[in-house]
Amino acid sequence: MMNYRARYIQTKETNGQYQKHQRDSDSSEDESDIFDAALKNLSLSNKETNQSERIHPMDVQMAVFLCADGFLKQLMVNKLSQCQYALPLLVPDPFTRQIEFPLWTFRQVHKSWKIRHTNNELVSRTQPIYKAETPMVFFFRFGPVSSYKSHLMNSLINEKHDTFFHRNCPGSSRTRVLMDGVVEISWFCPSGSDNDKFTECVAFCNLHGDAGDHEKQLQILTEMSSVNVALLPQLDRNNRHATEIQNLYKKLKPLICLFTEDESTVIELKRGKYKIGLKNRNQSDVSEELRRAINDCLSESWSTFRLEDVSKNSDIRVDEEDDNDCRRGREVAQQMMSLLENKDLIEIKESFLPHQGKLWHQWSQKNKELHRPRGDEIEMEISRKQTEMRTIRGQQYESGISEFMKLFFREINSYNEHEKMFFLKWLRILLDEYTSVDLSALHHKYDEKWSTVLKLKEICDKPEQLRAEQTELERISEELQAANFGLEHIMREIGQIYESCSSVNKNKKDLQIDFSSLPSLAAEMMISGFPLELMDGDAAHVPVIWISAVLDQLIYKLRAPRVFVLSLLGIRGSGKSTMLNAMFGLQFAVSAGRCTRGAFMQLVKVSDEMKTQMIFDYFLVVDTEGLRALELAGGSTRHHDNEFATFVIGLANLTLINIFGENPAEMQDILQIVVQAFMRMKMVRLNPSCVFVHQNVSDVTAKEKNMEGRRRLQENLDEMTKLAAKDEIYDAERFSDVIRFDVQNDVKYFAQLWEGSPPMAPPNPKYCENIQELKETIMSHAFKSHGMMLTQFKDSIKGLWEALLDERFVFSFRNSPEISAYRKLETQYSKWSWSLCSAMMETENKLHNKIENEIINEVYETDIQIELRKTSEEVKTSMSDFFEKDKDKDILIQWKALFEIKIRELQENIVRETRRKLNEILQQRDLKKKTDDQRRHHENTLYERSKDLAFKLQDKTNDEEILKKEFDVFWKQSVKKIITDTPAIKDIDIMRDVKLIFSDVYRSVPVDHWRERTDIFSVLSYSDYVKRKKSSGIKGALTNVYRSAKERFDYILCKEDESQIRYFVTDVSLQTDKLIQSFNISKMGYNICCVQELTDYIKARVLQHEQEQVKYVFKNEFFMDLVLSIFKRANKMITDQHRLFREANDPIRYVEKKREEYYSIFLKYFHGAASAAIFGEIICHKLKEPIEQNIFKKTARDLTDEMRSNCESLNGNRSNLEKHILKTLAEKEDFDKYMNYIHNPRDHFKSFIRDEVSRYINDQFRVSVLPKMKENIELLQQKIIRAAHESTEHVQVNRGDAGLWLKSFTQQLSDELIFSEKDLSGVKHDDVDFTLLEDVIRLEIPAIMSDISGRFNTKTFSTLYYKFRPDEILIDHFCQCCWVQCPFCGAICTNTIENHDADHSVAFHRVTGTNGSFYSGTTNLSISICTSIVASDKSFYPSGSNYKVPWREYRRAGGVYADWSITPDLSELPYWKWFVCRFQKDLEKHYNKTFDGRGKIPNEWKRLSKREAIESLDQ
């Protein structure tokens, strides 16, 4: 802030003092003499004043100055200079009285003035004040004087402003402590007008205190001055100062004596010696006489004063020499500047900073051309441009580093932070000094030439002269750009050195430090308060690689800070940088000739106090070049301004729109640009806010005028919105439709910056108040904002810039932070959905067991929801935490409601689906009840009959062989009887049944014909399967009549139709798989009706598809091949399920499998074992199969969970899985598998998951799988033994029988095992000793577990029913997603949600020729890539149409095209380029086409390696 009134500190008298005085007066009510009363109170007042003397404002200023370090002193002096206040020149130490000359503090003070020459030519000058050679007038006094020296000096410099503080200034007091002996200096700077008091710049020095007491200061300044002005009461030879006056009078130097006790007017005592009386004189008259006298003296005086020369005096201390860091910084900066001596300023950057010159500008231009490809061979052109850019980068890399930059690197890395600050400050100061004179001259030339051009434009009849002058103006403009040389250009050079080294990933030979450390250097400078160039204004380009690297270092050093980004936009020269500097104390360039080019960013740390009210750590302020900048290459263009405004607004949380003056034309221009930029933000879902700042308004206090201004602004904004909406094809009528905007609070009116006319005017205090009001408004926006992470800011820079390079911003913009956040959300969604599905599998298994055990006879959704409640709550909590605590929560919030609905729908669906499956199991249980009962009857009958046989043989023999023979005879007879009662289950032949059904439908087709059928999943084109659909109506009938046979029957499908049919085939296959699983063949058995039902379903789907909006119908061959292909695929699944059914239900297989168990029981009966022992063994035998199923299923689920965590390819979302599929394909280089992936992606995904699961099981079997199984065995064993023990206790307490024990035992295990009392129905269990029974189970169960464990191997899971296998569980999880393919290249949408609302998108589009696409009218396979072709100006024919659509507007084609988001991406994308080169011959043979002509593969593609291709998948 620069409010010059801050110096006028006043202390107000307290109410207590006032009341005290009043009471004293009241106590003397009878006193009637005014003289006595006044004298009494005067005495009292004097005593109180002496006791409580106020602090002098200048003492406060000097106290701060004396205590400050060099940087704060410099800042103070800069602010004092801007406020047009006098600056401390000589400062005595308050303790030692040693005089210091603070030369360092003047180093950044510049003064501007104008001089009118004798030929009436006006010349402008801007100089660092320490270099300016000007006359100097020195004021001092001898003894006490009644007149005010400082006040008199102010009347000479600026009558309306107190440049020097004097005793009549507000807040002044009689005493001062620190000002005596201080010399202050100020300059009068003429404006070139006739009213100037002096025609040239004049310095004025003021010695505070009695000059006789400060001889050293007096001596130094009287010798250096051009004119001395002494103030004294009167001339008196006996005065102690008479000698000094006499000596000054005798010298040749002009002397003006001002006598406070003399009433005479000006008298010239002799040449150059004047006397002026002050007593009883009019102040204006005295001031005018003094001005004339000084002017007369200056006209005859040849001496000039230069601030730097003060340091030559040996009697004083110079701050720069005393501070070692400051001195060393100056010496090194001077050493660097010595390298620039005698060099042409216009050519200096090209010589000393070669990396940012022509090569960088060429690279920038090529990059813009790359993003805006033209011509027919797009990929070839892109490849050529990329090669050219690499060549330029190579040349940049080969460019040597100048001695100037080498010295900079050496020094900047050898300093501590304090030394580094001095070095950088000195370098900036000396560079400004070095360039200021030439820049001033060039600006003068530019102004003159611009005036000439304007005059010629008015004449209109001299076009050739006008063109010549405009060319010359352009040349001067280029010289101006070349002559600018500051610290920002050094940093730009460092940035280009870094980018050139990054391009080849190695260090330069002559770079003494590692190039990777350069971003850290820039980051440290930013942290120290230096601005960094964000956009190179000369090249009009953002060095994204450099900026990203610097921001990465800032993120690391500041620990990933959150920032509030504030940007500023406005017309050039409208005071944008000045406003930011005033508001935040920044260092953006503001002087004439140093206007901001491009954009700069600077950090402002949020104080600890402010952090309690806002959640970010820094303000990041972006200052920008003005719109309509004259120096812009090629002149000012609306297109550039639109792009620039879009970039600046898109980066910020809040943008200040700076409008200067009240010119309606200028206002209209900037408003249209701004509205269009905000509209673009709305269209890409960015939501910045804005505040309008209307500067230089004549009367900001008039409320009515402000209201009128706001109304006009609102009308203008609404009008501009309508215009912009037409350009952007967007529906908006009012500005409020585009952005939330409060015209009352978000429009600020600013007073003029200066209080008066520059260059002598101080800043307007009202302007400073306006700055404070604006700052408060910014803070109110900041309080409500979450800002953004610095990582998001980095991504925004890249995303916005890439989109702008592609010219069509809305179409091209990739909201990288949003994309990244959405991918993270998809990964989380995958975890949440897995948690619910995994929990549901547990619940389904438990309820399934209860159904089979006949504990429950109906399943309700509420029952399932209760079981799922805990997991559901955990998922809700996890979701809530994710959306509320994640660092991207501000971005994620937009999808919160959607994903909450998705999770709710998922939960409802899996509950509904689980209930359906369980009710099917209930129905199937009832249907197969007879079979199960029959099987149990056979089992238990065998137990009883073997028991009878054992008892019969007890008294006949003890020979084991005889017993064995007897049992074998018994077994054969029993099995024979079972076979007679229950027929064996036969093998099945699915394909035979399919052909049988087809033979009934298509009787004319010979049986041998089935061998010739094609696998419909592997055909390249479906054209042979379709014919054109007949048109309807009269017109259609005529069309059908005249349509040729070829047209009607040999219909050629377009690419869109091909994709549509392929998707249809895949979906029918998927749905038939689900139907097959619903048949539950492993439990219910196979029936030819299954084939009939599936065939009917497929037929219905084909008919349904034909009735949709398609232009074709299918031939019979399509239906036949579709059915056969689907059943060929399903054959193994059905056969496997039938095998499981047969093993469980075929009487021979089942009974034979249990022969040894029966023989064991038979022997126990024969040897007279206790009934409890026999009953216990029978129970254990019955438990063996349920235990095995439980262990295998539980281990499968646990293993699946583990793979979801530990298997790299399976632990993320679908995108992560596809990335690993592509890596595996590249590593194996199997072309057939690539074709399967391209044309049958869902099948390939399933196959890959199965392979990954198999590999994981094999690799981790002993490490993880086996231990997991053993852990499950141990847990189940404990549960069974515990159930037996608790059942025994239950029976003993209730005095029950074996039936009660069995009931208790089976109920306790009903959640875990399919085992119930009915499994033992028919087995007698009288006189059972329950304690012994428990012991038998305790002894037998471990043996069973050991047997199961011993048979457990890597193939075990394949014996499980499909839905319980780990691979099938994961397939079900990963494949419930979007499978829509890109209409151009066939890449699969990566969205993890099926039927999602958002556009389809994919991370890696392919070369379109990989799926057989070719150029129309040729046999040349296409080498186009979706993400590059959509950036071109070419057009395409949508499938089945005869009209062109520009690639850039592909959505206009409607249909499937409209649902895809394909944003331009002209990066290398090596993967599919490598694939095309590696498999070129295979692709040409597969599609019977070639990569020739327009499809010729660029040579650059052939240089890509497999390693680069695989690595690109992780970028």
Side-chain angles (χ1 to χ4, degrees), residues 372-388:
R372 302 161 189 180
R374 302 288 186 269
D376 293 330
E377 299 177 353
I378 298 298
E379 291 303 326
M380 195 65 80
E381 183 190 348
I382 289 170
S383 187
R384 191 162 49 247
K385 291 281 184 233
Q386 288 172 337
T387 302
E388 290 171 358

Side-chain angles (χ1 to χ4, degrees), residues 731-779:
D731 184 21
E733 290 290 322
R734 295 176 297 278
F735 188 54
S736 57
D737 294 337
V738 177
I739 185 174
R740 279 181 296 180
F741 175 70
D742 182 353
V743 75
Q744 296 301 323
N745 297 317
D746 292 336
V747 180
K748 302 296 174 187
Y749 287 92
F750 267 42
Q752 295 175 353
L753 173 59
W754 303 112
E755 191 177 57
S757 300
M760 290 306 296
N764 189 344
K766 189 64 185 173
Y767 178 88
C768 301
E769 290 171 14
N770 297 147
I771 286 280
Q772 185 59 36
E773 290 169 9
L774 176 59
K775 194 171 183 179
E776 288 170 3
T777 300
I778 292 169
M779 290 301 172

Side-chain angles (χ1 to χ4, degrees), residues 286 532 551 1032:
V286 171
L532 180 72
L551 290 173
S1032 59

Side-chain angles (χ1 to χ4, degrees), residues 1211-1226:
N1211 68 356
N1213 57 10
R1214 223 281 300 278
S1215 297
N1216 176 67
L1217 175 61
E1218 184 163 21
K1219 181 175 73 176
H1220 282 85
I1221 287 173
L1222 291 172
K1223 284 183 179 180
T1224 304
L1225 285 168

Side-chain angles (χ1 to χ4, degrees), residues 1419-1440:
T1419 58
N1420 300 329
L1421 286 168
S1422 170
I1423 59 167
S1424 298
I1425 301 173
C1426 307
T1427 47
S1428 53
I1429 195 73
V1430 294
S1432 74
D1433 58 354
K1434 301 288 105 183
S1435 300
F1436 72 99
Y1437 289 98
S1439 298

Side-chain angles (χ1 to χ4, degrees), residues 1269-1281:
M1269 185 274 299
K1270 288 181 176 178
E1271 182 184 345
N1272 288 330
I1273 280 178
E1274 183 65 31
L1275 289 171
L1276 186 57
Q1277 180 176 304
Q1278 289 172 7
K1279 285 181 181 177
I1280 293 170
I1281 292 171

